[in-house]
Amino acid sequence: MSVLKEPLATPSRVRGIYRYLLQIKGQREKRQVLEQILSPNKLVEHLLSAEDKLNGKKAPHIMFRRTLNESIKCGLLIDNNDEICINPNLPEEARNPQLGDNLLPNTLATLFFASGNTDEEDFAYVCTWFLAQDIYDFSGNWKVVEEMVVNQGVAESLELKMSNNTLSGQMDDWICYIGLAWGHALDGKKVTVPDPTLYIKRNLKDLFQKTSWYKNYSSEILLTG
């Protein structure tokens, strides 16, 4: 299962766990402690029935646990004997307490789209298809997206089965967070625009740092700016 199909694993929840671990000593915490800090019982007790509360049952921390599982599965975090830590194999800047949060969209994009990450293939397919669309065709309505997918014949070939609002909502949340699209309201309706400008701006230096064209162009900007 990918972040596309796990509606409880939202960008804000993944970010919340990562931001906490970035700042603590050793960037690691016991799973149970981490759960109680970020998802205290008071926040989830509304999930229990009155009878369950009388019987002393504890509410499940579903949102936290599923988000944590996705974070571990994609390689952002590691579970080492019930101790959760930031993956030490991530780039040094991504693990930097001052830089890691701002770099998280890039870090996740790299992990999601890694060639060996078969779990996120469906999300990669969705992003690729989405960026190939006409920006004027998107209304923000999942039924319209579903019709487009079916009419273009990619529902089966690319497994882009946008069959409900949850899938479409996850697509919108994650594709905007990574920087491959942006959202706004038009006539009171949410519209998501395919546009990788933000992602490209964040990565422009890395994309062109090895080319003489970029170096020369940068020099011209500095001289004329």
Side-chain angles (χ1 to χ4, degrees):
M1 184 180 293
S2 69
V3 291
L4 186 66
K5 296 175 181 175
E6 179 45 80
L8 297 181
T10 61
S12 61
R13 290 177 184 141
V14 172
R15 185 186 178 198
I17 296 174
Y18 195 70
R19 287 182 69 180
Y20 174 79
L21 290 173
L22 273 174
Q23 302 301 325
I24 64 173
K25 184 178 180 179
Q27 297 186 333
R28 60 182 65 240
E29 186 67 270
K30 290 289 186 182
R31 178 189 284 261
Q32 187 174 2
V33 175
L34 187 63
E35 182 175 283
Q36 285 303 312
I37 290 174
L38 299 179
S39 180
N41 291 330
K42 276 292 181 182
L43 288 181
V44 295
E45 64 180 11
H46 68 279
L47 299 174
L48 294 172
S49 65
E51 183 179 352
D52 287 338
K53 291 179 181 179
L54 288 174
N55 292 331
K57 287 188 177 181
K58 293 184 178 180
H61 299 257
I62 299 176
M63 290 184 289
F64 171 81
R65 292 175 184 176
R66 292 190 181 178
T67 301
L68 182 62
N69 287 342
E70 290 298 324
S71 301
I72 293 171
K73 191 169 60 175
C74 76
L76 182 68
L77 306 177
I78 289 178
D79 183 354
N80 184 13
N81 295 322
D82 268 351
E83 188 174 62
I84 307 300
C85 64
I86 291 177
N87 189 341
N89 293 322
L90 293 178
E92 184 177 350
E93 288 186 342
R95 294 179 280 113
N96 185 300
Q98 283 72 48
L99 302 175
D101 182 34
N102 288 334
L103 292 175
L104 186 56
N106 278 2
T107 302
L108 287 170
T110 300
L111 293 171
F112 287 164
F113 302 143
S115 59
N117 190 352
T118 56
D119 284 330
E120 300 297 341
E121 279 185 352
D122 54 352
F123 179 57
Y125 288 151
V126 166
C127 291
T128 303
W129 171 80
F130 187 78
L131 289 172
Q133 306 309 305
D134 188 323
I135 63 173
Y136 298 106
D137 287 340
F138 279 81
S139 66
N141 186 317
W142 70 267
K143 290 186 177 181
V144 173
V145 175
E146 183 182 22
E147 289 176 3
M148 291 175 64
V149 166
V150 173
N151 292 337
Q152 293 178 22
V154 295
E156 297 298 331
S157 62
L158 295 182
E159 298 185 0
L160 301 183
K161 300 170 184 176
M162 289 293 167
S163 56
N164 59 58
N165 192 42
T166 300
L167 280 176
S168 184
Q170 282 294 94
M171 177 192 75
D172 285 351
D173 288 347
W174 278 105
I175 206 168
C176 288
Y177 180 69
I178 288 175
L180 299 177
W182 53 274
H184 68 104
L186 182 64
D187 295 330
K189 296 181 180 179
K190 180 181 178 182
V191 178
T192 303
V193 181
D195 180 5
T197 300
L198 180 58
Y199 179 84
I200 293 173
K201 284 176 66 176
R202 287 201 316 260
N203 294 280
L204 190 62
K205 183 177 179 180
D206 293 331
L207 289 171
F208 294 104
Q209 66 178 349
K210 294 182 180 180
T211 67
S212 57
W213 173 86
Y214 176 75
K215 292 179 181 178
N216 293 335
Y217 188 64
S218 299
S219 299
E220 289 180 15
I221 293 176
L222 291 173
L223 290 172
T224 60

